[in-house]
Amino acid sequence: MKRFGVIGHPSSHSLSPVLHRRAFELLGLDCSYDSFDVPPGTLRGRLDEFREQGFRGLNVTLPHKEDAARIATEISDEARVVGAVNTLSFEPGRLVGDNTDVYGFAASLEAVRGNIERRPVLILGAGGSARAIVYALLTKFKPSGLSIANRTLSRAKELETHFRPFAGSSSLESVGHSHGVLQQLVERAGLVVHCTPVGMFPSVDECPVADEIRFHADQVVVDLIYTPLKTRLLSLAERQGARTISGLEMFLYQGARSFEIWLGKQMPVDTLRPVIIDALQTQRRERNS
Ligand code: NAP
């Protein structure tokens, strides 16, 4: 049996085991996938143990993505530029790191490419996930401009400086969280991507923008959050006619890419989407009971 898993701290909430186990079943693969709690500071030693136990690959989640990029013996260009690894493959004498969040995000937007190419994009947030999102947008969609809005302006500026070499003809700017500036940027954006935890379970009543912000019909709004599937931000945007996409799509496609890296097979994403929606509903019922 080929062994896989996800490591994080905490790790018990991850839906990756549900996704991969069901994919193994559907494709008749003799593989296992489990979640493992790996406390900070123990990653290197634990990776040696996983190798000794014959593991083929691991997904890596918070807080280990940056450390995994340092420990891997070789990493993909995307993982190097983003500075984070979310997929490790144990090869003889090598530990290979990839970042499938870049692919996952780009794949989740393929159907709305026309709203992004040569149009302005607004990113809300400048944390770990925003790095993969900025890189994916600049290198795979070429928007006319990309504005990074963050509570802490210096962090947005750091992202702007880091990704400037990849901007090509796209303009790049960083801004603070002032209501007036956000309203202007939202008005002209073909795509708005929310990359902070604001509005995630249990704080589902929170929203990263004021209720007065006006979205519009010629616009796509993505929330990377998928607990809940419809955040307050997505409800607000949808009521004003914008097309909305939940973080579930990125989750599915980043998992599909890891699966392909490890096994060379396509994950049946469309069959698995309702499986993960069911699992999310079960998680919600368990939390509420
Ligand atoms: P992170 O590195 O902790 O990012 C934190 C960002 O959120 C920073 O920009 C921070 O601003 C901002 N922030 C935090 N609390 C805030 C608040 N109360 N008000 C305003 N801004 C706030 O987190 P991350 O890894 O980027 O993840 C962000 C979200 O994306 C999470 O909900 C995560 O679950 C989700 N995610 C989803 C996927 C997927 O596959 N769908 C993948 C990765 C992440 P400051 O710089 O000012 O602190």
Side-chain angles (χ1 to χ4, degrees):
M1 175 180 289
K2 293 178 180 161
R3 298 181 75 185
F4 299 94
V6 56
I7 55 172
H9 184 73
S11 63
S12 56
H13 65 287
S14 172
L15 288 172
S16 293
V18 180
L19 181 73
H20 287 274
R21 285 178 191 163
R22 189 78 185 102
F24 298 152
E25 264 173 42
L26 287 166
L27 298 187
L29 301 173
D30 186 22
C31 299
S32 68
Y33 192 109
D34 294 286
S35 69
F36 300 94
D37 189 84
V38 173
T42 66
L43 181 63
R44 195 178 283 275
R46 290 292 281 125
L47 288 176
D48 289 342
E49 288 171 16
F50 284 115
R51 179 183 287 282
E52 280 159 24
Q53 290 162 12
F55 274 76
R56 299 296 186 93
L58 293 170
N59 283 129
V60 182
T61 183
L62 297 179
H64 298 304
K65 290 183 178 188
E66 288 81 12
D67 284 344
R70 283 188 280 272
I71 293 172
T73 57
E74 57 199 81
I75 62 176
S76 65
D77 287 349
E78 292 178 352
R80 182 178 46 75
V81 174
V82 171
V85 155
N86 77 333
T87 302
L88 286 168
S89 307
F90 294 95
E91 306 283 348
R94 304 184 305 151
L95 181 61
V96 183
D98 282 284
N99 186 308
T100 70
D101 284 337
V102 174
Y103 170 89
F105 178 71
S108 75
L109 289 188
E110 209 42 68
V112 294
R113 183 170 275 279
N115 274 80
I116 312 171
E117 282 175 346
R118 295 184 294 281
R119 296 202 46 195
V121 170
L122 171 62
I123 309 284
L124 300 169
S129 63
R131 298 176 74 84
I133 274 41
V134 169
Y135 183 68
L137 287 166
L138 289 178
T139 57
K140 299 183 191 304
F141 292 90
K142 306 199 185 317
S144 61
L146 202 152
S147 307
I148 306 165
N150 196 46
R151 179 178 62 178
T152 310
L153 181 58
S154 58
R155 234 175 146 189
K157 284 206 178 300
E158 192 271 320
L159 237 69
E160 181 191 334
T161 306
H162 182 79
F163 288 102
R164 184 159 296 288
F166 304 94
S169 58
S170 307
S171 65
L172 203 51
E173 66 168 353
S174 36
V175 298
H177 251 191
S178 107
H179 177 77
V181 172
L182 278 190
Q183 179 61 72
Q184 271 182 12
L185 293 172
V186 167
E187 259 163 36
R188 62 175 209 227
L191 172 74
V192 177
V193 189
H194 175 228
C195 312
T196 88
V198 178
M200 188 166 72
F201 179 87
S203 306
V204 295
D205 291 331
E206 292 180 2
C207 189
V209 297
D211 284 349
E212 296 73 37
I213 290 278
R214 302 260 65 87
F215 294 92
H216 55 79
D218 183 23
Q219 186 165 62
V220 178
V221 179
V222 179
D223 200 329
L224 293 199
I225 293 171
Y226 55 90
T227 51
L229 281 173
K230 193 179 285 185
T231 56
R232 193 147 165 234
L233 172 70
L234 292 191
S235 299
L236 182 66
E238 197 177 89
R239 276 201 301 278
Q240 294 168 19
R243 177 164 176 177
T244 60
I245 299 177
S246 151
L248 174 66
E249 294 304 308
M250 174 174 166
F251 169 76
L252 289 168
Y253 286 108
Q254 62 77 31
R257 182 76 188 120
S258 299
F259 191 87
E260 196 182 344
I261 288 171
W262 293 327
L263 295 161
K265 294 187 188 306
Q266 300 287 315
M267 183 183 262
V269 168
D270 290 334
T271 311
L272 288 164
R273 187 175 289 102
V275 174
I276 298 300
I277 292 173
D278 267 4
L280 283 167
Q281 281 163 353
T282 306
Q283 256 186 5
R284 196 181 57 198
R285 276 196 298 276
E286 285 170 1
R287 280 164 172 162
N288 290 340
S289 66

